[in-house]
Amino acid sequence: MTDMAKPANTNRAIRPPRSQWWDVWDQFKTHKGAMFGAAVFVFIVLFVVIGPLIWQVSPTEMPQKALDLIRGKNLGPSWEHPLGTDQLARDVLARMMAGGKVSLAVGLVAMVISITLGTTVGVLAGYFRRLDGPLMRLTDLFLALPLLPLLLVMVMLFRDPLGRMLGIEVGTFLLIVTAIGITSWMQCARIVRGEVIALKEREFVLAARSIGTPPIRMVLRHILPNVMSPVMVAATLGIAGAIITESALSFLGLGFPPDFPTWGRLLADGADYLQDQPLRVIWPGIAISLTVLSVNYIGDGLRDALDPRIRGR
Amino acid sequence: MRLTTALLGAAAMMAIAPAAFAARGSDGELKLIYWQAPSILNPYLSSGTKDLEASSIVLEPLARYTPKGELVPYLAAEIPTLDNGGIAKDLKSITWKLKPGLKWSDGSAVTADDVVFTGQYCMDPKGGCAQLQHFTGVDKVEAVDPTTVKITFKEPMPDPYQPFTSYENPILQKKQFEKCIGAAAPTCTAANFGPIGTGAFEVASFKTNDVVTFKANPNYRDPNKPAFSGITMKGGGDAMAAARAVFQTGEFDYAWNLQLSPDVIKGMTGPDAKGHVVAAFGSLVERLEMNMTDPSPTLPEGERSTSAHPNPILSDIRVREALSMAIDRSLLVQVGYGPAGQPTCNLVPAPAAYADTTNTGCLKQDVEGAKKLLDEAGWKMGADGFRYKDGKKLSLTYQTSTNAVRQDFQALIKQWWHDVGVDTELKNINASVFFGSDPGSPDTFEKFYADVEMYANNFSGTDPQAYMAQYVCSQAPSPKNQWQGQNMNRYCDPKYDAMVTELGQTADPVKRAEMVKTMNDMLTKDTMTIVPLVWRGTTSGVANSIVGEDINPWDSELWNIGDWSRKH
Amino acid sequence: MFTYTIRRLVLAIPVLLLISLIIFALLKFAPGDPMAQVPMTVPPEVKAKMRAALGADQPLIVQYLLWLKQFFIIEPLHILGTMTGYDLVGNAQRVISWQTRSPVADIIAQRMPQTLTVVGMSYVVGVLIALPIGIVSAYKQYSWFDQIGTFVSMIGFSVPTFFTGVMLILIFSVYLGWFPSIYDTTLVVDSWPHFWLQVRQMVMPVAVLALYNAAQISRFMRASMLDNLQQDYVRTARAKGMTEQVVVLKHVLRNSLIPVVTVIALGVPQIFGGAIITEQVFKVNGLGALLINAIYADDLPMVQTLTFIFAILIVIFNLIADVLYGILDPRIRYD
């Protein structure tokens, strides 16, 4: 959403030739849900980026003395620990901030990879008949591949080399987002292809083709904007999916090192304590749900704003 | 008057009640939940604990160890000893006599031929028997007469009670398995899923990796047992759900192996809980293993983590000792295991005769002492809170399998080591990869491509000889043996090797115990090659209404299931 | 359309063979060991012998060809044999699971009923509630119904099933005691009380899975409906004086179904794949649990067979989706 706002700002100086993006922004502003979603999303981003600067408690540090650890573990909210402590007396608020940074990044990047891959494959397969067969069989193959062994192989091959080249954290991050990205694009590809096949037969496409529009321009200008709404849904669902998948990966020992908190991991760790400390699961649960909800509303607003038919209304 | 009669009647009823309750099948159904479901009921084709426990309901050995560690006869009439002549003077044979009149659950007689057949079944070279180690050194098993079996060994055996004395190698019925020997073993699904046994129950139905049902054995040798008419053994889910089913909803009577955080267990076993926790301490020890060789990724494959390159940091015993001193073991127990763990410095914590009770030096955390030792070793504190020597940072990689408690341990130990200036990089690996012996994977515990690793190990039965023999030089995993040895540390001391050989020739129990203690100390406090952390028990949940349950660290937890009954 | 279908079906055979080889190679290449779950008290020599007895030490190509033969020749013959009563297989080795040493096909057949009832039912329920929710949400965009629907479906999708499942168990099994927390696979439905038991033990797992499925499908339904509601043909239809019912349910719905059909068709093979986490939470022990256990135990024949059947279903249902596109929108032509 910030990306959308930027061109609007730069265009403010040259007022008279009103840019299309300015209209989009105007329309976006009138969408209450979208503005609310954007506000929540900005808040979450600030929480994980600025938060640790204000709340300077280490997310991994435990009390020095054994007795303090025993007394300080599994506490409910207090002034000292606003969201309570976990089973090793670590501060949950600090862990939520540290974990959010990773989860948000994983969720967004993995979603972008998967959507880009999925849309590209889907459009190519749907538009160019010759590519349809091979690309869709490739999709079938990826759908059929068992995920866990695939991930095991990827981790075995790339964890150490990537970790050596880029450091363990960046290396693991790249590995995880790629793993999630390349194992989740198939649904998007199939949906986009289905839509493109139907769109190809519509009158406006025929019209565009009859005036000799080159394929690239056809795809970018006429086909892509019309498949945006299912892609948008796939993107929103993809963020949630990626955050949850990351937690499953860490849980299986295929993800980040164990002392690296993420929302998904906090959720999975807290699941055992659901009965006695329900808050420990509820915090990350709320965070993930809020992120997904806000992205969903932003997506809704963007879709309305980008659709000239609605914008004119 | 009428009231008194009624009371008298009630009293009389009470008096005869125990006898009435003891009738076979009078207590209804017993429900067990095993969160790892049994996949096969033939203990010779799988050695997974879940499978062995399930088969122990049906199949019985000649003798087995009680929770106290005493060997008691089951199918045998008595325990053969040197004194009663059951064991030959030269220790080269042992003769078992079966109880008279024993019957299989199908009504046929149990004979010495069945025992002989079981031996052949496991020792068949093509069978891939999972219990072959119990037949090490066995020359032949033969029937002297229909109720007498003689086992002859190739060499004198100081511990001749290995074959047929635990739930790992019970007696199979020859008639049922005759056609299933060797390569044909997997074709006998019906037999493998429903072995005929001599135990208190027989298999009624079996759904692999899901549920097994048993019904009382009509030909069981004690006419009043079992008290239950049948058993349902459900599998699947996780330890948490199993605990919930026993303690909270009361849907099940017994939940096996509740590896849960003590806080979670405490939360479920309050005053109104429907069950309680039982624990048994065998020989399972959670430990840190120090890699004596260099796991650096810069070394070429084939030389990494082999004796060609000693570990640049851990080769110094002072560093290893400091790492051990920095750890607060009792806190680890409180965080991870609660009543199911005890701090220990021993590799062999049990049976009592073999445990070195004087080895307690590591139990007290000593941060200052650890710092001093590291200073002495030349690792000087840098400005960033970590130690350096010759410009090299004191940094270790520390790996273990993926498991909530182990990850908590990693976090705690990392912090303690940080406090003394050691930087630690943590790594956790999926258990099926870590404990798998795939020579192609870099992440197995045998390859040990890390400085320190943590896992738990134990020995089967009550005799640690084979366990101690794992740490001889030739057992070090390396490319030469496809990384299959069990001496993960690559520990190598000719003196230790000599003691292993000597132990194999010593029969006197007192002398054996002394030797095991010495070897235990050599590996732990003398060299800090193995740094034991926690002596772990196994915990299970039992419904309060169950009587007669007696958890056994040396055999199946269900070893005496024929004696269980329900309180009314 | 017919020739297209035939061509796709014929082409599917080499494609599936290639997929099976790739899966096999992947499984072989993945780190893991069928002996990983064997206790450490068993010495390495014994483990090596056990591996040899399974045939796990054979080269990849030998194992693959053996599996091909067992899967494509012996298993069909066996099925034929059991149907006709003749023993066509004799002593030939069927596909044997390493973990249980029993025929893979028998275990799959044993797991089918609970998977189909629980996962299949939840899928049907999910689709049945998702479609109306999606349609109404789109038709009355930004109404309170739409807002609540959005909220619930986003929660349903972003909160993992291990959380919702355990929550339901705590509420309905532990505190209220209404439903059993453990699914009984030995229950035979032969009377009304047993049927009632079956319903009770299905309620919670079906609810959890249906929420998750419905969340996803209703989002796609809503988005697609919204797109179509603004098309010119809708205005034309209304202008012609058609009733709203006809406009929405006949014109708009039909044109909006393409992405939804894709999602639903992709989901059907997943029924066969089972629902790993939900099955574990409620101890349903269906095909999902079977697959994940087999993967952990590195039970290669079992994983290979399950994934391959899964692959067949994917290919078939994707074909069905393609055929359905043509029916929904007659302009689409593949030939």
Side-chain angles (χ1 to χ4, degrees), chain B residues 519-541:
Chain B
M519 291 158 87
N520 170 68
D521 292 351
M522 285 171 84
L523 291 170
T524 57
K525 71 172 176 190
D526 296 349
T527 65
M528 291 289 169
T529 310
I530 296 171
V531 177
L533 300 172
V534 179
W535 177 20
R536 281 174 52 188
T538 47
T539 44
S540 292

Side-chain angles (χ1 to χ4, degrees), chain B residues 74-400:
Chain B
Y74 258 66
L75 297 185
E78 59 170 359
I79 302 294
T81 59
L82 275 169
D83 294 340
N84 68 17
I87 300 178
K89 289 263 174 329
D90 60 358
L91 300 176
K92 283 183 85 166
S93 74
I94 182 168
T95 309
W96 294 88
K97 276 199 86 65
L98 296 175
K99 274 186 182 143
L102 276 179
K103 276 188 182 146
W104 294 104
S105 59
D106 65 358
S108 60
V110 179
T111 68
D113 278 345
D114 292 312
V115 183
V116 174
F117 170 80
T118 308
Q120 286 165 355
Y121 180 84
C122 186
M123 288 187 285
D124 189 285
K126 284 204 187 107
C129 175
Q131 308 298 347
L132 201 58
Q133 72 274 21
H134 293 290
F135 294 91
T136 318
V138 173
D139 184 31
K140 55 180 186 283
V141 183
E142 51 196 348
V144 178
D145 63 53
T147 57
T148 314
V149 186
K150 185 177 173 197
I151 304 166
T152 317
F153 301 100
K154 291 176 195 138
E155 306 280 325
M157 280 294 270
D159 176 27
Y161 298 122
Q162 277 292 319
F164 309 122
T165 56
S166 81
Y167 71 138
E168 293 175 343
N169 47 351
I171 311 300
L172 298 176
Q173 191 192 33
K174 182 179 179 185
K175 195 172 78 188
Q176 192 185 18
F177 282 92
E178 215 161 12
K179 291 201 182 105
C180 308
I181 209 157
T187 59
C188 295
T189 308
N192 293 335
F193 280 6
I196 292 171
T198 52
F201 294 88
E202 58 180 340
V203 182
S205 75
F206 181 81
K207 285 187 172 183
T208 183
N209 283 340
D210 181 13
V211 61
V212 201
T213 59
F214 301 89
K215 56 178 193 281
N217 174 1
N219 292 305
Y220 190 52
R221 52 187 177 274
D222 185 337
N224 290 326
K225 283 173 180 171
F228 291 99
S229 60
I231 302 178
T232 301
M233 187 182 209
K234 173 79 179 175
D238 49 52
M240 181 75 193
R244 197 178 286 124
V246 169
F247 299 139
Q248 296 190 312
T249 64
E251 287 167 276
F252 281 79
D253 297 312
Y254 191 85
W256 164 83
N257 194 8
L258 301 179
Q259 283 177 4
L260 291 169
S261 130
D263 294 329
V264 173
I265 297 247
K266 214 155 87 196
M268 282 199 284
T269 51
D272 52 350
K274 293 177 172 131
H276 56 273
V277 175
V278 287
F281 285 83
S283 53
L284 188 64
V285 172
E286 185 85 26
R287 79 287 290 282
L288 292 178
E289 304 259 0
M290 302 284 173
N291 192 345
M292 304 305 242
T293 61
D294 190 357
S296 163
T298 52
L299 290 173
E301 196 64 23
E303 285 184 35
R304 194 177 171 191
S305 270
T306 63
S307 49
H309 303 273
N311 192 301
I313 298 170
L314 293 177
S315 295
D316 188 342
I317 184 175
R318 287 170 295 191
V319 178
R320 303 199 296 268
E321 193 158 5
L323 293 176
S324 169
M325 285 161 88
I327 296 171
D328 182 348
R329 287 170 174 75
S330 44
L331 185 63
L332 287 180
V333 169
Q334 284 192 54
V335 166
Y337 294 100
Q342 293 173 30
T344 187
C345 306
N346 277 326
L347 180 65
V348 181
Y354 293 107
D356 181 5
T357 47
T358 60
N359 181 13
T360 54
C362 75
L363 294 183
K364 216 181 136 0
Q365 185 188 26
D366 183 1
V367 176
E368 292 313 312
K371 285 183 184 159
K372 218 169 113 224
L373 264 179
L374 289 172
D375 283 336
E376 281 169 22
W379 292 96
K380 297 283 172 251
M381 194 62 110
D384 58 353
F386 295 112
R387 289 174 188 267
Y388 291 84
K389 181 156 103 177
D390 310 328
K392 192 176 152 42
K393 195 176 181 183
L394 181 41
S395 175
L396 301 171
T397 46
Y398 171 10
Q399 68 181 18
T400 188

Side-chain angles (χ1 to χ4, degrees), chain C residues 312-332:
Chain C
I312 297 177
L313 289 176
I314 287 171
V315 169
I316 292 177
F317 277 91
N318 281 346
L319 177 58
I320 292 179
D322 284 349
V323 172
L324 277 179
Y325 294 164
I327 296 171
L328 288 171
D329 188 343
R331 279 174 299 192
I332 295 178

Side-chain angles (χ1 to χ4, degrees), chain C residues 7 28 41 61 203 218 250-251 273 286 288 299 311 331:
Chain C
R7 203 174 62 224
K28 245 342 238 177
T41 51
I61 193 72
V203 169
S218 69
K250 220 164 153 201
H251 291 75
D299 185 350
R331 279 174 299 192

